[in-house]
Amino acid sequence: MPQLGVGVIGFGRVGGGHMSAAQRATDTRLVAVADVAADRVRQATERFGCLGFTDYHELLRREDVDLVMIGLPHFLHVGVTEEAAASGKHVFVEKPMAMDVAECDRMIEACRI
């Protein structure tokens, strides 16, 4: 089975953990990270040896990214999940999934195959 290319959106408190997990898993390879802060992108790319972007839309446009791990503040999960799903990506979201059940329902519907 080919490895899934992983992109991580958000390199705050949990981003490093997501990136480490992507590197350690045998069926994934870390491709890229995106964060709005250029200094965090630089830190992540130096530490993990991957591509980096300050605009997550660039990460979503990459054909070698199959799976997106979202490590953003919870109120941003729904919109980014919908965009990632619309880009054809698999989505991993940390808990809490969203701010309310209606947002969870939107995210689940966006990811239906």
Side-chain angles (χ1 to χ4, degrees), residues 42-103:
R42 182 188 46 74
Q43 291 170 10
T45 58
E46 288 175 1
R47 180 174 163 193
F48 293 98
C50 64
L51 299 171
F53 305 100
T54 55
D55 181 347
Y56 72 90
H57 296 99
E58 292 182 62
L59 185 148
L60 292 179
R61 285 192 288 272
R62 294 195 58 87
E63 291 184 18
D64 55 350
V65 172
D66 306 297
L67 165 68
V68 175
M69 301 177 85
I70 299 174
L72 297 170
H74 306 129
F75 72 94
L76 296 173
H77 287 183
V78 65
V80 176
T81 294
E82 289 173 327
E83 290 182 74
S87 297
K89 310 302 183 198
H90 298 284
V91 179
F92 172 93
V93 182
E94 63 190 22
K95 64 179 186 175
M97 183 172 164
M99 300 304 288
D100 56 42
V101 174
E103 286 186 354

